[in-house]
Amino acid sequence: MIACNHFMSYMGPMSSITVRNIPESVKAALARRAEETGESLEAFLRRILQAEATTVSAKPNWKEFVAGIRTRVESLPPLEPGDIDAWEHSEEFARRDTPLEAP
């Protein structure tokens, strides 16, 4: 029992989560994947949850993203008479852009 207590003190406190209403097909697929890795379903799910919890979210903060674009656009100098704006540049590019011809 001493070894077990030492292990638990190393791991720190543990908690449990109960997830209800999982479709049987999802549970079966997860069980198959666990079996393929040689793990129990519980160990497999624990590993997935731990990996997910330690992964940095790549989800962008759209409000900050848009605010940054707005700040950059507002800092641009105004166009002078005769200057070509981005829309006119894109129209000119579209006129000059021709598809590649087949050999």
Side-chain angles (χ1 to χ4, degrees):
M1 213 47 180
I2 294 171
C4 182
N5 287 337
H6 175 68
F7 177 74
M8 292 307 282
S9 65
Y10 172 75
M11 293 297 293
M14 299 285 179
S15 18
S16 297
I17 297 173
T18 301
V19 181
R20 292 180 173 80
N21 300 321
I22 297 173
E24 255 328 295
S25 60
V26 171
K27 182 181 174 186
L30 290 168
R32 277 192 306 276
R33 290 184 58 195
E35 188 177 337
E36 289 170 1
T37 62
E39 298 173 282
S40 67
L41 178 58
E42 183 178 341
F44 178 74
L45 293 173
R46 189 180 305 113
R47 184 171 53 82
I48 289 174
L49 290 171
Q50 186 172 11
E52 185 63 30
T54 57
T55 302
V56 176
S57 175
K59 184 178 177 182
N61 182 332
W62 290 108
K63 287 183 180 180
E64 287 181 17
F65 180 73
V66 170
I69 292 173
R70 181 173 288 146
T71 300
R72 290 195 305 272
V73 168
E74 289 171 351
S75 70
L76 292 172
L79 289 175
E80 297 294 326
D83 285 349
I84 297 174
D85 66 11
W87 182 260
E88 291 170 317
H89 276 292
S90 66
E91 290 292 313
E92 177 62 26
F93 179 78
R95 278 194 296 278
R96 288 185 288 131
D97 189 29
T98 57
L100 293 174
E101 305 238 351

